Amino acid sequence: MSDDGPIAEGGAALVCNGLAYSFGETRAVDGLDLSVTAGEVFGLLGPNGAGKTTAIRCITTLLPVPAGMVRVLGHDAARERMAVRRLLGYVPQQLSADAALTGRENVALFARVFDVARRERADRVAQALEAVDLTEAADRMASTYSGGMVRRLELAQALVSAPRLLMLDEPTIGLDPIARTSVWDHINAVRAATGMTVLVTTHYMDEADQYCGRVALMHRGRIRALGTPEALKADLRDRRGDGAKPTLEDVFRDVAGSGLDAQGGEFRDVRRTRRTASRVG
Amino acid sequence: MSAVPAAPHPASADPVEPGPAADRGLDLLLVPPRARTGWRVVPARVLAMCVVELQKLRHDRTELYTRAVQPALWLLIYGETFTRIRAIPTGGIPYLDYLAPGLIAQSAMFIAIFYGIMIIWERDSGILTKLLVTPTPRTALVTGKAFAAGVKSLIQAIVVVVIAALLGVALTWNPLRLLGVGGIVLLGSAFFSCLSMTIAGIVLTRDRLMGIGQVKPPSQAI
């Protein structure tokens, strides 16, 4: 891990080349090419079943990389799994904090599994909780937290290991608008303070427009459009030429076309998303 | 908050305010922790999982109490009854003394099997997913879970021993032997939780698991 410093400066934090993954006959990710610059907030958008979560699972080493290449800060996700995991902070889509522990204990568990030395563990856990504004609630059981607080706690769990690449899979799903803003404010504050790269997937186009430096629109396993939200919108406006100001949602609709319902994700994903939403909300 | 040397101004209360990490007292979040390597990884992960289990038990002892009910009933009702009627050949020792070790084994096995199966629930929630993206080898994760089940069973075994002692079961107080019992409970539970984790890993969904739950080992045979 001696080489993560220089690469992090201005280089690419994450590179995917021709990443492909199939579940049986279904090609969930079908030749994904992606390059995330160090220090940016990159949004991966797409309809249900576009392959976002599968791509994230390949990048986070949860799934193997059967075809193509994934490099996280220069480390190959297929061969150097441990090195990649040490560089990643991952917040899955589902609820991942343990309700039977206090906030502090939840974060301390992740400090332990990331080999934080005993003498700095308490300080590091306190700083991670401070970064997401949970210092006062730290010793309450996580089961008493509100949806937004749970998300922030999960963020603290991911931050405690000082990751260079933060992967957030639908961080604001099922949250009310105020909690969503709060989660994003904390993501941005931490990113500004630590300079880490953030890769986020979301369904909320307004969020992507507001908070992401660059976005990639994914559909049927591939990137169909890539750029800053402004550039994508301007591009669509020029192509339409009717003077109306398109939103990112229009760009999304333009890219995904009408076939949105054709392959709207597995039943299991829907069930999981709903359950997450109901538990968080 | 940790002491941040020479911080220009105190940690800002406003989370949105950007600034260098040190200003906000987040200096530690910039430095990745030094990685443990080699043989030290697995014991460290096992310890982490066991600590979590102990913390959970400290917060909520309900499970400890409810699980104590069954052994207590066995000892109080079956034990006392069968001691009187001498229906079961025990080779001359009182039936209660004969029963108590079996109860320890039974509780340990039940806890271990259910604990292993809990991994299905953790898989459905994100807890397991998140742990899988930490520098924890899969073997360390399973070993950690197994010994966490062992720790839980050990505590339950202590409860059973205390109940048995209160009921006047002739127990040995030889610390070496009690330590031996502890060791057996720990390893036995680790084994059984590994077994149930294997089953959980094969069936993957809760619905299918219910069928397997029917063919539990015939514990009533003690």
Side-chain angles (χ1 to χ4, degrees), chain B residues 168-184:
Chain B
V169 174
L171 288 167
T172 171
W173 294 111
N174 182 341
L176 280 180
R177 288 197 176 179
L178 287 177
L179 218 59
V181 170
I184 291 170

Side-chain angles (χ1 to χ4, degrees), chain B residues 56-90:
Chain B
K56 281 187 187 171
L57 269 180
R58 206 184 62 206
H59 292 308
D60 185 9
R61 297 199 187 85
T62 327
E63 197 191 346
L64 201 64
Y65 299 140
T66 50
R67 281 196 190 279
V69 169
Q70 204 199 10
L73 283 179
W74 273 95
L75 285 171
L76 282 169
I77 297 170
Y78 286 81
E80 295 292 346
T81 314
F82 282 99
T83 305
R84 298 264 155 78
I85 62 176
R86 297 174 200 283
I88 293 172
T90 56

Side-chain angles (χ1 to χ4, degrees), chain A residues 11 48 72 76 128 130 147 168 195 203 249 265:
Chain A
N48 290 325
V72 177
D76 192 316
E130 173 71 25
L168 309 169
H203 283 301
E249 204 167 319

Side-chain angles (χ1 to χ4, degrees), chain A residues 62 82 85-86 90 95-96 98 102 105 109 113-115 123-124 127 133 154 157 161-162 189 193-194 268, chain B residues 1-2 15 19 21 25-29 31 33-36 45 56 58-59 123 126 130 133-135 138:
Chain A
L62 281 167
M82 283 301 163
R85 286 181 197 151
R86 283 193 188 278
Y90 174 49
L95 194 67
S96 65
D98 200 325
T102 66
E105 287 163 352
L109 168 65
V113 296
F114 272 98
D115 297 326
D123 286 344
R124 207 182 258 267
Q127 289 193 5
D133 250 353
E154 288 167 354
Q157 288 180 303
S161 59
T194 63
R268 200 177 151 194
Chain B
M1 209 59 246
S2 70
L26 302 179
D27 53 328
L28 283 174
L29 299 188
V31 196
R34 186 180 299 151
R36 278 194 190 87
R45 298 298 183 274
K56 281 187 187 171
R58 206 184 62 206
H59 292 308
R123 187 177 167 274
K130 211 165 171 181
V133 190
T134 63
R138 302 311 190 236

Side-chain angles (χ1 to χ4, degrees), chain A:
Chain A
M1 275 198 288
S2 52
D3 56 346
D4 63 71
I7 293 174
E9 302 295 321
L14 169 71
V15 180
C16 296
N17 255 336
L19 172 66
Y21 194 93
S22 307
F23 294 102
E25 293 287 296
T26 321
R27 298 179 72 86
V29 179
D30 189 10
L32 178 75
D33 296 314
L34 192 66
S35 174
V36 179
T37 314
E40 75 175 330
V41 179
F42 189 91
L44 193 57
L45 317 177
N48 290 325
K52 305 181 300 277
T53 297
T54 306
I56 287 222
R57 289 170 73 87
C58 287
I59 296 165
T60 52
T61 75
L62 281 167
L63 288 173
V65 181
M69 184 208 61
V70 175
R71 295 183 87 83
V72 177
L73 293 147
H75 293 277
D76 192 316
R79 273 178 304 225
E80 304 165 81
R81 293 182 163 219
M82 283 301 163
V84 167
R85 286 181 197 151
R86 283 193 188 278
L87 294 167
L88 283 179
Y90 174 49
V91 180
Q93 191 176 325
Q94 311 99 291
L95 194 67
S96 65
D98 200 325
L101 295 172
T102 66
R104 196 182 298 281
E105 287 163 352
N106 263 303
V107 180
L109 168 65
F110 278 80
R112 283 201 181 87
V113 296
F114 272 98
D115 297 326
V116 173
R118 183 202 295 267
R119 66 194 134 74
E120 65 173 52
R121 196 185 298 144
D123 286 344
R124 207 182 258 267
V125 169
Q127 289 193 5
L129 286 163
E130 173 71 25
V132 295
D133 250 353
L134 281 178
T135 305
E136 276 160 41
D139 294 310
R140 267 166 51 194
M141 299 295 289
S143 50
T144 66
Y145 282 19
S146 69
M149 288 166 85
V150 170
R151 270 303 187 212
R152 270 147 56 198
L153 175 63
E154 288 167 354
L155 202 55
Q157 288 180 303
L159 290 176
V160 78
S161 59
R164 298 306 303 150
L165 173 61
L166 191 59
M167 311 269 294
L168 309 169
D169 197 356
E170 315 239 357
T172 52
I173 195 164
L175 296 183
D176 64 67
I178 294 166
R180 276 165 60 183
T181 312
S182 155
V183 165
W184 271 109
D185 284 346
H186 285 94
I187 294 171
N188 274 334
V190 168
R191 194 194 62 84
T194 63
M196 65 179 68
T197 315
V198 181
L199 176 70
V200 58
T201 74
T202 180
H203 283 301
Y204 300 116
M205 295 301 139
D206 53 326
E207 280 185 2
D209 200 356
Q210 195 178 347
Y211 298 107
C212 296
R214 281 198 308 153
V215 297
L217 293 182
M218 214 175 152
H219 187 46
R220 303 207 173 149
R222 269 190 210 163
I223 304 270
R224 308 289 167 162
L226 175 82
T228 63
E230 288 70 33
L232 289 176
K233 283 185 287 184
D235 184 49
L236 181 69
R237 192 184 55 216
D238 294 348
R239 264 186 297 138
R240 282 190 175 164
D242 56 2
K245 265 193 176 173
T247 61
L248 200 56
E249 204 167 319
D250 297 327
V251 178
F252 182 80
R253 218 167 263 140
D254 180 58
V255 165
S258 55
L260 275 187
D261 291 320
Q263 44 179 82
E266 278 181 72
F267 182 78
R268 200 177 151 194
D269 293 335
V270 177
R271 190 181 65 179
R272 181 179 282 174
T273 309
R274 293 257 174 91
R275 197 185 298 139
T276 307
S278 72
R279 265 197 256 173
V280 170

